[in-house]
Amino acid sequence: MHWVERNRNYINFTLSSLLRRKGKNFSLFLVYTLVVFVLSSVIFFSQAIRMEAETILQDAPQMVVQRMAAGRHEMIPVSYMDAIDHILGVRNVESRLWGYYYHQAAGANYTIIAKPDFQYADDEVIVGAGVKRTWESMSPEGLFFKAYNGDVLVMKIADAIDPESELVSSDLIVMSEATFRKLFGTPDGVATDLALTIRNETESPIIAEKIAQILPDTRTISRSEIVRTYAALFDLRSGYIIVILSMSILAFFIFAWDKATGLSAQEKAEIGILKALGWDTSDVLIMKFWEGTVISLTSFLVGVILAYLHVFFADATLFEHALKGWGALYPKFTLKPTVNAFQIATLFFLTVVPYSLITIFPTWSAASGDPDAVMRQA
């Protein structure tokens, strides 16, 4: 009880001391909160978008087989499906037709996918939300496409893809196989790639090795490799932001160091008076420790809460263009909150601990001196 009562007195004295220098402390609180807010926003956003991508990619093919020629991806003969289908462990093989269409007026690339079981007419398409927003030549008649031979194809929008999946469907246009081949001049008997369903996903490396032996002009891409690629991409983008902001963070700690080492005359006089009244050096250090703790913890909590609201309720407005990465088609979607204890602990040690340490040394230097000398310096 004595320890609790003693520390409560320290905190009461610390709060009254902070209020006496409210101008200086409030400016420090604002800068500190801004640094925590920026760091937290980047970490929250990168983690949430990575989790969102992993959730969506759970429906991706377990393995994709592509044909390579001169180091480039080429159309693959559909006849390759027979050889792959006989490999032990392969449950199903499907051919896929997909490609990219550059729309000059919109200045954007769109992903075109052909569905074998497309339920609409050949002159109809299903589009993602980003297509409707950006397709410059859209008219009441529909979307105008320029085919490989110069012909103009007019497609009516039959339906729209659920906006919940906009992260991966923003630029998507779905059409029939016949329309796809007419648009790109793709001959019958070939596909863009082959999608495999595997009985036991742990056997993927063995199946990939067998495919490479049977069909040496192909390469395989597993779903786990796609997930790792997306994770590396988002880590890279968030890393760029952190590096750019590191200069601002360094400037903050220089600012905090300057504030901490440059004790004002009022603070030196206060320390000298406390020592003259019988306070030990340890008492002064504890009082300054609580002072730094109040500022750093308050800034940390406010910065983290603001970052949470910014990322999960305001769609990370400040960083979305840098982190989402689409050239002209920025998907609009709401991220699901995925904050965990490790992220909070990382932010705490990156922001609170360094500040607390740099405030201890100058206080110890002033508090360990003679009270009369300290007051004369003030």
Side-chain angles (χ1 to χ4, degrees):
M1 292 299 294
H2 175 70
W3 182 87
V4 174
E5 185 68 21
R6 186 182 181 194
N7 278 279
R8 192 175 69 178
N9 292 331
Y10 282 134
I11 294 174
N12 289 335
F13 184 85
T14 298
L15 292 176
S16 61
S17 176
L18 288 173
L19 289 175
R20 284 195 296 274
R21 298 184 295 276
K22 51 182 175 293
K24 169 189 171 184
N25 291 322
F26 185 68
S27 63
L28 181 60
F29 164 78
L30 286 180
V31 177
Y32 203 151
T33 301
L34 179 63
V35 170
V36 175
F37 166 76
V38 171
L39 273 177
S40 304
S41 295
V42 173
I43 291 177
F44 289 169
F45 187 90
S46 59
Q47 177 66 18
I49 201 169
R50 188 186 304 115
M51 294 297 295
E52 191 79 15
E54 288 179 5
T55 302
I56 293 173
L57 289 173
Q58 286 178 353
D59 297 328
Q62 291 173 302
M63 183 177 289
V64 173
V65 180
Q66 297 177 337
R67 180 169 176 267
M68 302 297 292
R72 297 176 63 85
H73 174 206
E74 290 287 336
M75 303 302 283
I76 187 169
V78 178
S79 58
Y80 280 23
M81 293 172 60
D82 295 333
I84 296 173
D85 198 32
H86 287 89
I87 296 175
L88 190 64
V90 175
R91 176 177 292 173
N92 187 37
V93 186
E94 291 181 350
S95 61
R96 302 194 307 176
L97 276 174
W98 59 270
Y100 299 110
Y101 180 84
Y102 179 71
H103 192 279
Q104 199 164 12
N109 266 314
Y110 297 89
T111 303
I112 311 291
I113 291 182
K115 290 280 188 181
D117 54 350
F118 193 64
Q119 298 176 347
Y120 300 93
D122 285 347
D123 63 345
E124 294 180 327
V125 292
I126 303 173
V127 299
V131 178
K132 282 187 171 181
R133 286 198 303 268
T134 58
W135 195 277
E136 292 290 335
S137 59
M138 184 183 297
S139 70
E141 290 79 22
L143 309 180
F144 290 85
F145 290 85
K146 187 176 181 181
Y148 77 100
N149 56 2
D151 292 346
V152 176
L153 304 179
V154 182
M155 303 288 178
K156 299 173 186 173
I157 299 177
D159 201 357
I161 299 172
D162 188 355
E164 289 292 321
S165 62
E166 192 172 347
L167 177 62
V168 293
S169 67
S170 179
D171 66 338
L172 200 60
I173 300 174
V174 185
M175 60 180 58
S176 68
E177 280 194 10
T179 307
F180 183 93
R181 295 186 188 279
K182 189 176 179 181
L183 178 64
F184 294 107
T186 306
D188 293 334
V190 297
T192 307
D193 56 28
L194 305 178
L196 276 61
T197 305
I198 297 170
R199 298 182 192 281
N200 184 354
E201 201 160 357
T202 58
E203 297 177 352
S204 296
I206 300 173
I207 293 173
E209 188 176 338
K210 289 182 179 177
I211 292 174
Q213 292 173 354
I214 299 171
L215 305 168
D217 61 339
T218 62
R219 71 175 178 184
T220 57
I221 304 172
S222 67
R223 181 164 56 192
S224 59
E225 289 173 330
I226 298 173
V227 172
R228 284 199 300 272
T229 301
Y230 270 93
L233 175 66
F234 293 134
D235 285 344
L236 181 66
R237 291 185 182 280
S238 58
Y240 281 145
I241 299 293
I242 293 290
V243 169
I244 292 171
L245 295 176
S246 61
M247 294 300 103
S248 302
I249 297 169
L250 179 62
F252 162 71
F253 284 114
I254 293 174
F255 170 76
W257 171 263
D258 181 65
K259 289 288 183 185
T261 53
L263 292 177
S264 66
Q266 184 184 5
E267 289 173 294
K268 289 180 179 177
E270 184 179 277
I271 292 174
I273 293 171
L274 292 175
K275 291 292 297 288
L277 291 174
W279 283 44
D280 294 333
T281 300
S282 61
D283 295 328
V284 177
L285 290 177
I286 291 173
M287 185 267 290
K288 285 295 181 184
F289 166 77
W290 280 117
E291 186 176 305
T293 301
V294 168
I295 293 176
S296 58
L297 275 184
T298 306
S299 303
F300 178 77
L301 291 174
V302 173
V304 168
I305 292 171
L306 289 177
Y308 187 91
L309 296 174
H310 169 235
V311 172
F312 299 116
F313 291 91
D315 297 332
T317 309
L318 296 179
F319 305 115
E320 63 173 353
H321 288 194
L323 291 171
K324 287 180 182 175
W326 273 256
L329 285 164
Y330 292 100
K332 294 181 178 178
F333 55 91
T334 301
L335 294 168
K336 295 177 183 176
T338 54
V339 179
N340 55 46
F342 178 74
Q343 291 174 305
I344 300 297
T346 302
L347 286 169
F348 184 85
F349 281 99
L350 280 176
T351 55
V352 175
V353 174
Y355 176 79
S356 300
L357 291 178
I358 63 177
T359 57
I360 293 296
F361 176 74
T363 304
W364 172 82
S365 178
S368 58
D370 180 69
D372 182 61
V374 173
M375 285 188 285
R376 287 178 184 279
Q377 290 176 5

